[in-house]
Amino acid sequence: MSLSAIPLPAGATLQAGRGGLPCLAIDTPACTGEIYFHGAHVTAWQPHGHGPVLWMSRHSAFEPGRPIRGGIPVCFPWFGPHPSDPSRPPHGFARLSPWTLDRVERRIDDAVAVTLSLRTGADDLRHWPHPCALTLEATFGRQLVVALSVRNDGDSPCMFQEALHTYFAVGDVRQVAIEGLAGTTYVDKVRGGEHFRQDAAPIGFTGETDRVYLDTESTTVIDDAAQGRRIAVEKQGSRTTVVWNPWIAKAKAMPDFGDDEWPAMVCVETANALDNALTLAPGDGHRLQASIRVE
Ligand code: BG6
């Protein structure tokens, strides 16, 4: 179906976005929002009465073949570097692929639900031999609910990792505390991938932070003292939470991330990664969901 044949409800507008990439803009009494078809990438969500909840880099690329920096990148079918081939793109091909807009619906509570889909293509299959059908549903309302569904369309078991790699806008990361992960074991990528156990205190930020919290289904809360705001991230179908801030040197090393932008963001990612990778039998499916609200 061509894009113009998809009926759009009031409050949803098809646009040529940055770099000329197609996107859908949402504007309803509940919120404003934006999603690009490139990567099925949510780039904005702002419930009325609040500031922007998602962070976007001013230096992000918006072009085919490159990831968007900020918002909610969809990582699939691997997380971080490819497990055996460093020439493959980090965090997989889903965030680099053009997704198809399937439908847009307005709900009774003024939320707008946008559904996009992706089938693994011939180029993907050369490097990752599993035909899969992916669906991303983003519901923009007083809450933002993002769900990634994966179905194994092949005839052998399919193992994958995935993440909704959400960048949150904060006043100053040095005054942020993340609650909800006390007692959880994490892999610390900044300390050589060693395992540690989170103590009872909320997570604070005093340097580069890159942690993969395993076997946790807990809701996390981002307590943003500088903005006087709390954001809750509730999840379903997710056993991993990743917490990331690049700090000074890593921010400088990334071409699509401004040198001075790191204090204004923190990633809290709803994932299944590392030891929590999933295996789907032929025909089986899995749904990963994050529900984000300002408290
Ligand atoms: C995080 C990883 O999820 O994503 C970090 O844990 C990584 O190690 C970060 O640096 C950003 O990745 P990328 O590929 O978008 O630069």
Side-chain angles (χ1 to χ4, degrees):
M1 199 190 283
S2 80
L3 278 181
S4 55
I6 301 223
L8 296 180
T13 316
L14 188 60
Q15 296 183 345
R18 283 160 276 184
L21 298 176
C23 70
L24 204 65
I26 312 296
D27 190 350
T28 70
C31 70
T32 56
E34 184 181 67
I35 183 166
Y36 277 73
F37 306 162
H38 175 64
H41 200 124
V42 176
T43 48
W45 173 61
Q46 186 167 352
H48 289 307
H50 298 283
V53 175
L54 302 179
W55 177 87
M56 274 298 304
S57 171
R58 292 187 303 276
H59 301 263
S60 176
F62 281 89
E63 57 186 76
R66 291 188 64 193
I68 294 171
R69 175 72 68 193
I72 312 184
V74 175
C75 305
F76 176 91
W78 57 87
F79 180 79
H82 184 276
S84 58
D85 180 355
S87 73
R88 299 294 294 151
H91 290 323
F93 50 76
R95 67 176 176 167
L96 304 174
S97 301
W99 291 54
T100 302
L101 180 65
D102 287 345
R103 59 185 173 277
V104 187
E105 292 161 342
R106 180 142 170 176
R107 307 254 160 96
I108 198 160
D109 59 355
D110 281 330
V112 174
V114 183
T115 307
L116 299 110
S117 60
L118 177 72
R119 279 179 184 280
T120 50
D123 185 49
D124 309 318
L125 294 177
R126 271 193 294 129
H127 303 281
W128 195 75
H130 300 286
C132 275
L134 272 62
T135 306
L136 192 286
E137 185 177 298
T139 306
F140 296 85
R142 294 301 299 168
Q143 289 193 74
L144 174 66
V145 181
V146 182
L148 173 67
S149 300
V150 180
R151 191 187 65 226
N152 179 2
D153 282 345
D155 50 17
S156 60
C158 149
M159 191 187 201
F160 63 91
Q161 304 178 74
E162 58 181 353
L164 299 168
H165 188 310
T166 313
Y167 287 78
F168 290 97
V170 295
D172 184 340
V173 75
R174 290 160 292 198
Q175 296 177 51
V176 162
I178 311 262
E179 302 166 5
L181 291 166
T184 306
T185 297
Y186 63 92
V187 175
D188 194 333
K189 291 195 184 177
V190 174
R191 287 189 279 177
E194 273 186 63
H195 286 64
F196 297 90
R197 197 175 161 82
Q198 184 64 43
D199 56 28
I203 302 163
F205 296 83
T206 54
E208 182 186 350
T209 303
D210 193 352
R211 299 180 182 178
V212 181
Y213 287 84
L214 297 168
D215 303 322
T216 172
E217 295 175 15
S218 302
T219 297
T220 45
V221 173
I222 301 165
D223 184 54
D224 176 2
Q227 287 201 91
R229 168 165 100 169
R230 287 167 64 81
I231 299 168
V233 185
E234 191 182 320
K235 52 191 207 146
Q236 287 172 321
S238 161
R239 308 258 308 139
T240 310
T241 298
V242 182
V243 176
W244 180 63
N245 180 284
W247 218 252
I248 301 164
K250 191 155 185 186
K252 277 203 168 98
M254 287 186 285
D256 59 349
F257 197 116
D259 293 359
D260 58 351
E261 290 186 319
W262 60 269
M265 57 70 65
V266 67
C267 283
V268 176
E269 307 169 33
T270 297
N272 288 299
L274 307 188
D275 294 353
N276 295 140
L278 295 168
T279 302
L280 285 180
D284 277 3
H286 179 267
R287 182 179 165 101
L288 168 75
Q289 180 172 300
S291 304
I292 300 165
R293 58 180 184 272
V294 181
E295 291 191 334

